[in-house]
């Protein structure tokens, strides 16, 4: 992909060019240049919103401010209001209840309480909305707000919380006397009461709290993050693997909603301490964290919902090159440490073992639009990350790494724009995910449910006439007892739509309900196919 600096609207910010504007541009995709500019803009925007607009590239220390100098001005006039969100968003509720997260219940039900870490900067209205929103999700038992803005002091009272609805969550506010930038996320999480942190910035809303939490609960030691499809595609090239030295790493932003274990954050602070990064780099800690876990993050792909997109901007520095430089620096330092020592050392704190599930065993790809299920498939359109081997001698720039992936069968932006994972579960059967490669025996596609369901029929909607698939699929399900896929007996039934396949199914030991269902290919197909939606009895996505 050509990604010239020329495309970046870095120096021409007009007040009404919001990120949602660019997000819409991405989905409408009128021409490539605009799309490229939009992708770059979004990536950079996401970077910028994680650091001070004025001096993120400055190596000068922040001026010291004493507590007395803070005059506590009134909160800045809101430029954004939650009224701009749809009623579906405003009314979303968790399927989890506060009772499930009492200490007594937690001893038995295996659920994990989480501390949400939020940074305050200048978008007070959206921060307030996010705090109110998070209180609807009872697994968030603690919210810590670290206010990086030295010109504004925040108080819990400012957030207008409904006491009756937020009693189950403890909220703490820290007003910093210095802008700690990204680093504050990690120092704040290290203080959390609970073993897991949830991160979110104030420029996007994560509409998929329950479904993300459900997948996080399966593998709580991995980073589980959330991003828009085009950034997901980008990050698939920002994976750094060297099988000889146990390097199996990838980049993700945390700010659009991510779960991570607190021990990894504490380990990261130890890594930062021993790496001796300069202050300017410490502020950009977000570029290092996921890469230094030396694990591929588990990233879900979906269209994000924008909140206030103001006040995160800088036009004074070349942000795109800073992202590239620091992502490369992170990967290069990881490579050097792993190459120098085959085992974990006190001086580097980099994990050597690859955590389960390995990339080839991951199934969950995107949350369903209603946050009640997750789209699963074994068919990733992207090349396996270990096909591109990284070292810091032959590869001297992230662009080299991207070029190596692009030289493989890498999906185009245009393909992904039309056929990203979430199109199979977006509630619209006219938009479709495409397998990209022809499905082979054993490949599968289906959904995992947030809450168990009893059902007897499973329908797959395709984009065209589906007769050729009638003898090519086998159904299996997971029950509530364990994670095992159980083969089901199934029979095709007549459907009124010739692009739908409906199975009557019956799976042993799933009387209590199923947690997931999938169709596996029993024949090699000759071409990729479109999957446009699923129906489980009357549960439709
Ligand atoms: C660089 O590439 C060459 C040629 O493929 C290879 O022999 C060499 O080992 C690579 N260098 C490193 C440090 O991996």
């Amino acid at each position: 992909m050509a990604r010239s600096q020329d495309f970046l609207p870095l120096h021409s910010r007009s007040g009404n060019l919001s990120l949602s504007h660019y997000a819409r541009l991405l989905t409408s995709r009128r021409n490539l240049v605009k799309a490229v500019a939009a992708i770059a803009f979004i990536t950079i925007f996401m970077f910028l919103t994680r650091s001070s607009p004025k001096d993120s590239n400055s190596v000068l220390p922040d001026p010291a401010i004493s507590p007395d100098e803070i005059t506590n001005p009134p909160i800045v006039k809101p430029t954004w209001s939650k009224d701009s969100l749809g009623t579906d968003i405003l009314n979303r509720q968790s399927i989890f209840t506060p009772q499930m997260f009492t200490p007594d219940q937690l001893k038995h039900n295996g659920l994990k309480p989480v501390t949400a870490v939020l940074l305050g900067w200048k978008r007070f209205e959206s921060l307030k909305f996010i705090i109110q929103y998070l209180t609807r999700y009872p697994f968030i038992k603690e919210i810590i707000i670290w206010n990086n803005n030295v010109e504004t002091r925040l108080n819990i009272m400012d957030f207008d919380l409904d006491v009756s609805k937020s009693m189950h969550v403890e909220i703490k506010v820290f007003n910093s006397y210095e802008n700690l930038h990204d680093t504050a996320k990690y120092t704040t999480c290290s203080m959390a009461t609970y073993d897991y942190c949830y991160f979110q910035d104030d420029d996007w809303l994560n509409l998929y709290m329950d479904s993300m939490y459900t997948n996080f609960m399966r593998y709580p030691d991995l980073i589980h993050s959330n991003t828009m499809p085009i950034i997901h595609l980008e990050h698939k090239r920002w994976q750094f693997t060297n099988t000889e030295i146990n390097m199996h790493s990838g980049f993700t932003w945390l700010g659009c909603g991510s779960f991570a274990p607190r021990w990894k954050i504490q380990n990261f602070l130890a890594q930062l301490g021993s790496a001796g990064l300069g202050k300017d780099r410490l502020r950009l800690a977000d570029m290092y964290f996921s890469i230094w876990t030396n694990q591929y993050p588990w990233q879900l792909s979906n269209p994000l919902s924008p909140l206030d997109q103001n006040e995160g901007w800088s036009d004074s520095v070349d942000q795109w090159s800073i992202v590239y430089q620091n992502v490369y620096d992170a990967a290069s330092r990881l490579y050097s440490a792993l190459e120098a020592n085959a085992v974990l050392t006190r001086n580097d704190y980099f994990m050597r073992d690859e955590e389960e599930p390995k990339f080839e065993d991951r199934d969950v790809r995107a949350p369903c639009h209603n946050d009640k299920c997750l789209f699963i498939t074994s068919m990733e359109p992207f090349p396996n990350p270990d096909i591109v081997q990284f070292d810091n001698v032959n590869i001297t720039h992230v662009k080299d790494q991207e070029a190596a992936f692009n030289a493989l069968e890498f999906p185009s932006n245009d393909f992904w724009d039309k056929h990203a994972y979430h199109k199979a579960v977006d509630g619209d059967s006219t938009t479709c995910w495409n397998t990209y490669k022809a499905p082979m025996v054993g490949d599968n596609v289906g959904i995992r449910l947030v809450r168990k369901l009893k059902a007897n029929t499973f329908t797959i909607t395709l984009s065209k006439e589906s007769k050729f698939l009638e003898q090519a699929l086998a159904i299996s399900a997971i029950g509530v007892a364990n994670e095992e896929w159980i083969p089901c007996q199934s029979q095709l039934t007549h459907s009124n739509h010739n692009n739908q396949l409906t199975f009557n199914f019956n799976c042993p030991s799933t009387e209590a309900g199923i947690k997931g269902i999938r169709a596996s290919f029993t024949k090699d197909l000759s071409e990729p196919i479109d999957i446009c939606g699923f129906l489980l009895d009357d549960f439709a996505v």
Side-chain angles (χ1 to χ4, degrees):
M1 180 178 99
R3 208 168 20 197
S4 153
Q5 200 63 44
D6 300 335
F7 292 142
L8 306 185
L10 275 177
H11 305 283
S12 59
R13 184 189 185 202
S14 98
N16 12 350
L17 278 188
S18 71
L19 189 45
S20 50
H21 170 83
Y22 279 93
R24 278 197 297 279
L25 191 70
L26 269 179
T27 33
S28 67
R29 184 57 57 89
R30 276 183 210 97
N31 64 53
L32 187 65
V33 176
K34 275 185 188 165
V36 168
I39 293 156
F41 180 84
I42 285 168
T43 309
I44 287 163
F45 211 124
M46 295 174 94
F47 154 68
L48 280 165
T49 51
R50 278 154 191 80
S51 51
S52 153
K54 280 191 227 77
D55 54 4
S56 57
N57 193 32
S58 160
V59 289
L60 300 172
D62 288 325
I65 295 178
S66 84
D68 308 335
E69 288 174 61
I70 294 164
T71 50
N72 206 7
I75 285 156
V76 191
K77 173 168 73 73
T79 51
W80 175 89
S81 140
K82 68 179 180 186
D83 301 335
S84 62
L85 299 169
T87 48
D88 167 52
I89 296 177
L90 294 172
N91 296 331
R92 267 192 187 203
Q93 294 294 341
S94 180
I95 65 145
F96 299 95
T97 64
Q99 290 71 36
M100 295 175 183
F101 293 87
T102 59
D104 247 14
Q105 288 294 314
L106 288 173
K107 274 185 219 148
H108 309 293
N109 64 16
L111 293 171
K112 297 187 188 308
V114 174
T115 297
V117 171
L118 306 174
L119 298 190
W121 177 237
K122 289 195 172 163
R123 289 173 285 222
F124 178 75
E125 282 303 307
S126 48
L127 178 66
K128 180 165 111 181
F129 180 69
I130 285 175
I131 293 165
Q132 293 170 354
Y133 190 81
L134 290 179
T135 62
R136 301 178 196 176
Y137 292 89
F139 45 84
I140 305 286
K141 289 254 289 177
E142 180 180 54
I143 300 177
I144 311 183
I145 300 126
W146 183 274
N147 178 20
N148 260 335
N149 185 351
V150 294
E151 287 163 14
T152 311
R153 305 289 81 182
L154 296 178
N155 186 297
I156 293 177
M157 307 297 273
D158 298 333
F159 303 124
D160 298 337
L161 290 165
D162 179 341
V163 177
S164 68
K165 289 187 185 141
S166 55
M167 264 166 44
H168 61 279
V169 49
E170 187 172 352
I171 302 180
K172 299 174 181 153
V173 182
F174 292 91
N175 287 298
S176 182
Y177 291 117
E178 186 183 1
N179 184 356
L180 298 182
H181 304 261
D182 293 350
T183 324
K185 274 182 202 165
Y186 305 95
T187 50
T188 306
C189 171
S190 73
M191 305 187 294
T193 303
Y194 301 104
D195 293 341
Y196 300 91
C197 291
Y198 172 77
F199 298 95
Q200 185 177 342
D201 293 348
D202 53 13
D203 45 353
W204 298 95
L205 187 64
N206 177 8
L207 289 182
Y208 309 105
M209 292 296 291
D210 277 357
S211 44
M212 274 194 86
Y213 180 73
T214 302
N215 199 42
F216 151 76
M217 284 289 302
R218 296 167 70 200
Y219 301 103
D221 279 337
L222 286 173
I223 299 174
H224 292 258
S225 65
N226 188 41
T227 195
M228 62 173 76
I230 206 74
I231 307 288
H232 181 71
L233 173 138
E234 182 91 292
H235 289 177
K236 285 289 166 181
R237 288 183 285 238
W238 294 11
Q239 299 191 95
F240 304 93
T241 308
N242 191 307
T243 30
E244 295 276 302
I245 58 167
N246 288 315
M247 184 174 189
H248 26 65
S249 178
F251 177 77
T252 186
W253 298 113
L254 295 185
C256 303
S258 309
F259 292 92
R262 191 186 54 201
W263 72 265
K264 279 196 178 164
I265 271 93
Q266 289 166 338
N267 190 55
F268 179 58
L269 291 173
Q271 289 170 338
L272 287 175
S274 69
L277 293 187
K279 189 168 180 179
D280 52 331
R281 285 208 144 119
L282 272 183
R283 291 168 166 183
L284 306 174
D286 275 8
M287 320 229 155
Y288 290 78
F289 173 59
S290 84
I291 293 176
W292 283 6
T293 62
N294 197 20
Q295 310 293 339
Y296 305 115
W298 197 321
Q299 188 176 69
L300 302 188
S301 160
N302 63 87
L304 301 174
S305 298
L307 295 175
D308 189 356
Q309 303 288 343
N310 291 308
E311 295 291 357
W313 189 257
S314 165
D315 51 8
S316 59
V317 283
D318 179 356
Q319 304 295 352
W320 188 242
S321 82
I322 291 174
V323 177
Y324 267 146
Q325 272 167 29
N326 288 285
V327 167
Y328 182 78
D329 187 56
S332 173
R333 286 171 188 256
L334 173 63
Y335 175 87
S336 300
L338 299 174
E339 202 215 5
N341 283 296
V343 292
L344 183 78
T345 73
R346 276 195 157 275
N347 294 328
D348 67 46
Y349 301 94
F350 294 120
M351 282 180 75
R352 269 46 174 195
D353 292 338
E354 187 174 359
E355 288 172 290
E356 301 285 338
K358 304 211 164 146
F359 65 83
E360 64 269 28
D361 299 321
R362 296 193 187 178
D363 50 3
V364 163
R365 310 293 176 180
C368 299
H369 73 104
N370 57 11
D371 196 28
K372 296 188 189 316
C373 61
L374 295 142
F375 173 58
I376 54 173
T377 182
S378 60
M379 290 175 273
E380 238 202 327
F382 306 101
N384 287 347
D386 59 358
I387 300 176
V388 173
Q389 295 283 313
F390 177 83
D391 68 69
N392 61 8
V393 179
N394 293 314
I395 295 176
T396 59
H397 198 283
V398 175
K399 285 183 179 168
D400 301 339
Q401 185 77 356
E402 292 178 342
F405 276 103
N406 287 339
L408 304 169
E409 226 183 303
F410 201 89
S412 69
N413 292 358
D414 213 36
F415 169 84
W416 195 236
D417 191 38
K418 283 199 197 80
H419 296 302
Y421 297 126
H422 73 276
K423 306 269 184 175
V425 288
D426 60 358
D428 178 350
S429 58
T430 65
T431 62
C432 309
W433 169 69
N434 180 281
T435 58
Y436 191 63
K437 297 166 207 160
M440 298 285 145
V441 172
D443 281 339
N444 58 65
V445 51
I447 52 176
R448 290 187 73 107
L449 299 156
V450 171
R451 172 186 267 166
K452 71 173 183 191
L453 210 93
K454 288 185 190 175
N456 304 103
T457 63
F458 182 48
T459 300
I460 304 173
T461 305
L462 299 124
S463 60
K464 14 181 209 246
E465 212 262 307
S466 58
K467 217 164 174 49
F468 70 103
L469 276 175
E470 282 182 358
Q471 302 305 322
L473 292 170
I475 306 297
S476 52
I478 16 179
V480 288
N482 57 38
E483 280 284 300
E484 199 187 326
W485 285 98
I486 303 163
C488 308
Q489 289 182 326
S490 69
Q491 209 167 22
L492 270 171
T493 64
H494 175 73
S495 167
N496 293 331
H497 304 281
N498 63 2
N499 60 343
Q500 284 190 331
L501 285 172
T502 298
F503 298 89
N504 266 323
F505 66 90
N506 186 347
C507 320
S509 356
T510 62
E511 292 74 24
I514 56 171
K515 280 193 309 196
I517 186 154
R518 71 185 188 191
S520 302
F521 291 86
T522 54
K523 287 184 182 159
D524 290 349
L525 302 191
S526 55
E527 283 178 19
I529 59 166
D530 284 337
I531 306 274
C532 315
F534 300 98
L535 260 166
L536 201 50
D537 283 3
D538 55 2
F539 176 83
V541 284

